Amino acid sequence: MNEITLHENRAALNRLKIRPSFLRDVSKRELSTTLLGQRVKCPIGVSPTSLHCLMHPEGEIATARAAAEFGVCYTQSNFSTSAVKDIVEAVPHGVKWVQVFCFENFSITENLIKVAERNGYQAVVFTIDHTTKPINWKQDANPPALSSHQSMKSIEEVVTVQFDKNDVYATMKGLKPETRLSWDVIDKIRSQTNLPVVVKGILTAEDALLAVHHGVSVMTLISI
């Protein structure tokens, strides 16, 4: 990941100008909307990112709590340092989605979905662009490390795996991403749950049409 798109996005954002319209009735301002039938206070959400315990002692629990307090959607990462059950116990309210990857051992993906559904999460976010470990020169030069009391608790809820504490993103036996994927995997995931399926990673209009064809409820775009 060379962050070319990141720089292009920032440049594009800097080119945008706000052109306000005045003399409008703003006595009643309403930013709330719905996401898959769930009310949120504004159309902003927390995307799935991992290793929150490196930034806050409560990890993803603190993130979920903040999202709930602000009334926005929280999406839990596949590689979360807080377990689903612990997040729900600490933050029983708020809109929560869960991210999953497709592993060679599909039962891991299936069980992650079941745990989330059992604990009241409202959607499954399937990341479609994780068929191989991405190249990230900054991260590879200084890989994230966990302390002795920290771990990938979301994964550990469904499978026993030994992480390299000094490089938590190193490919682990039993957690290799599935490389032989087609759009049929969406149908497979939908068959495992009653929750709506969101796809994360769409980059082209052609893939967006395929996602709709396979019954996806929501699509999210990404920057590489």
Side-chain angles (χ1 to χ4, degrees):
M1 295 184 181
N2 50 25
E3 299 183 346
I4 290 176
T5 308
L6 171 64
H7 298 308
E8 290 181 346
N9 285 347
R10 287 177 174 171
L13 184 62
N14 288 334
R15 288 194 298 268
L16 294 178
K17 307 299 179 186
I18 296 177
R19 300 176 63 250
S21 297
F22 295 107
L23 298 179
R24 301 291 194 272
D25 184 353
V26 293
S27 59
K28 295 181 180 179
R29 298 178 296 278
E30 179 58 65
L31 296 178
S32 68
T33 185
T34 57
L35 285 175
L36 299 176
Q38 301 292 320
R39 176 65 58 177
V40 291
K41 289 185 178 179
C42 61
I44 295 174
V46 179
S47 294
T49 54
S50 58
L51 306 181
H52 290 201
C53 70
L54 297 181
M55 304 300 295
H56 192 283
E58 286 190 293
E60 289 80 4
I61 290 174
T63 311
R65 181 181 297 115
E69 289 178 358
F70 279 93
V72 299
C73 177
Y74 165 69
T75 304
Q76 181 176 344
S77 169
N78 194 129
F79 294 108
S80 169
T81 52
S82 299
V84 165
K85 60 181 179 59
D86 294 335
I87 292 176
V88 171
E89 182 178 341
V91 191
H93 54 293
V95 178
K96 299 181 185 69
W97 296 357
V98 67
Q99 177 201 37
V100 297
F101 296 140
C102 191
F103 298 105
E104 283 186 349
N105 182 355
F106 186 76
S107 66
I108 298 174
T109 303
E110 180 183 357
N111 288 331
L112 286 168
I113 293 171
K114 289 180 178 178
V115 168
E117 186 168 12
R118 188 165 61 243
N119 282 276
Y121 279 54
Q122 291 105 345
V124 174
V125 180
F126 173 47
T127 294
I128 65 174
D129 60 343
H130 189 75
T131 53
T132 59
K133 184 177 183 292
I135 297 173
N136 187 319
W137 290 293
K138 288 184 179 179
Q139 184 174 286
D140 291 344
N142 186 26
L146 297 176
S147 65
S148 59
H149 67 279
Q150 296 170 332
S151 64
M152 297 284 198
K153 293 182 179 178
S154 59
I155 290 290
E156 291 172 348
E157 282 187 288
V158 299
V159 65
T160 300
V161 63
Q162 185 65 43
F163 289 95
D164 182 351
K165 294 280 187 176
N166 296 314
D167 184 2
V168 295
Y169 288 138
T171 302
M172 293 149 285
K173 184 178 181 181
L175 282 181
K176 291 182 179 180
E178 177 60 78
T179 58
R180 299 164 297 177
L181 289 176
S182 70
W183 281 93
D184 291 340
V185 72
I186 301 295
D187 304 321
K188 189 174 182 180
I189 289 174
R190 291 181 61 216
S191 72
Q192 302 299 318
T193 180
N194 292 317
L195 296 178
V197 174
V198 178
V199 292
K200 175 180 177 291
I202 294 290
L203 284 175
T204 66
E206 292 83 0
D207 277 354
L209 288 172
L210 284 168
V212 171
H213 175 73
H214 285 273
V216 164
S217 299
V218 174
M219 289 171 278
T220 66
L221 309 182
I222 65 165
S223 296
I224 296 178

